[in-house]
Amino acid sequence: MKISFAVLMLLFLSVVPIIAQNSPTVSAQPNTIFAGGDGKFESDPDTAVLSFNISAQESTARAAYDHASKSVEQVRQILRSNGIDPKTAEISSFSSNPVYDYKDPKRKLIGYQVTASASLKFKDFTKFPPVLQQLADADINNNQSLSYTLENIDAAKSKAVEDAYRRARDSANTVAHAAGRTLGELSYASVDVSEGGAVPYPMMPMRAMAMGKVGTPAPTEEFTPQKVVVTAHVNALFGLK
């Protein structure tokens, strides 16, 4: 028993330093200032993403597939008529599933449903309203959604970090000045960045759009896309002179 206890203690003591090494901390050092700062950068989105589903339901799987194929061909024609290459549309999912009548105790099979999810990216924001309207008028899709995003996100992250570091340094410099000291060089820093991602844009229901009067402005017309916000937090350790 004594031997077993000694072995366990030896294993425990050998693990403790490893755990400590995996959790580094910044210790307070003489003649240093540790300060944190939050920063952000707001940017206009550079990309609009139009997402939509194409769904068809028929009594047989083949009929549902053929129906969906015709609907997809309509989408291709709409894109071509607006000067958009159909190859730029991205398919994110495709499914074919049986549809049952769950009110029937025997769960009777009543048909098959084929559904495809697709999305389009627009750099020119003036191009998607006609496409959106024509897709609604064709009544071949549902669950339309529009979002704005920033594809050049790395540059925005850098600016947010710069803003956070400036704030951290300003705070440290204020403390140093109040103590009658001079802020020295940066000796340590940690960075945490959070990107805003896609900004959803409210959409009118598909049927409401399709029933709109001719010449009625698109739901997104005359509105400004919401800015994409990237935030950052910087912790910095400075020396004192």
Side-chain angles (χ1 to χ4, degrees):
M1 291 295 290
K2 290 183 179 180
I3 295 175
S4 299
F5 179 78
V7 172
L8 288 175
M9 286 300 296
L10 180 60
L11 289 174
F12 175 77
L13 292 174
S14 66
V15 170
V16 172
I18 297 175
I19 295 175
Q21 291 175 4
N22 291 336
S23 303
T25 57
V26 179
S27 301
Q29 300 291 331
N31 297 311
T32 61
I33 294 180
F34 184 73
D38 293 313
K40 71 176 182 178
F41 179 73
E42 296 184 357
S43 174
D44 292 327
D46 58 15
T47 305
V49 182
L50 176 61
S51 302
F52 57 92
N53 292 338
I54 298 172
S55 181
Q57 181 174 324
E58 298 292 347
S59 58
T60 66
R62 183 63 194 181
Y65 181 85
D66 291 341
H67 186 167
S69 297
K70 292 179 181 179
S71 296
V72 171
E73 181 58 31
Q74 284 184 272
V75 173
R76 295 192 188 99
Q77 294 300 328
I78 290 173
L79 297 181
R80 292 191 184 101
S81 66
N82 286 276
I84 300 172
D85 186 349
K87 291 181 180 180
T88 60
E90 298 179 354
I91 298 293
S92 59
S93 66
F94 179 88
S95 63
S96 178
N97 300 297
V99 179
Y100 296 96
D101 181 4
Y102 288 97
K103 294 180 181 180
D104 190 316
K106 296 183 180 180
R107 203 178 67 160
K108 181 181 179 181
L109 176 67
I110 59 175
Y112 292 85
Q113 186 178 59
V114 173
T115 303
S117 298
S119 63
L120 285 165
K121 293 183 178 180
F122 297 86
K123 292 294 184 180
D124 184 352
F125 292 175
T126 64
K127 285 189 174 182
F128 70 78
V131 175
L132 188 153
Q133 184 64 57
Q134 290 173 39
L135 287 174
D137 291 341
D139 196 22
I140 57 177
N141 70 96
N142 51 40
N143 296 331
Q144 289 181 343
S145 65
L146 177 67
S147 61
Y148 291 102
T149 187
L150 183 64
E151 291 203 332
N152 187 20
I153 196 70
D154 290 337
K157 287 181 179 179
S158 297
K159 292 184 180 296
V161 171
E162 289 176 2
D163 184 43
Y165 174 74
R166 178 185 59 80
R167 293 174 183 272
R169 185 177 180 83
D170 287 347
S171 297
N173 195 44
T174 299
V175 174
H177 180 74
R181 305 287 293 276
T182 301
L183 195 66
E185 295 182 352
L186 174 71
S187 60
Y188 167 85
S190 65
V191 179
D192 183 23
V193 182
S194 177
E195 53 187 271
V199 180
Y201 195 95
M203 296 286 292
M204 290 178 61
M206 183 186 68
R207 290 188 178 182
M209 292 175 55
M211 294 173 63
K213 296 180 180 179
V214 177
T216 300
T220 57
E221 193 170 333
E222 297 183 1
F223 289 102
T224 302
Q226 183 178 342
K227 292 182 180 296
V228 176
V229 180
V230 180
T231 60
H233 180 82
V234 171
N235 290 320
L237 182 67
F238 299 93
L240 282 174
K241 297 180 182 179

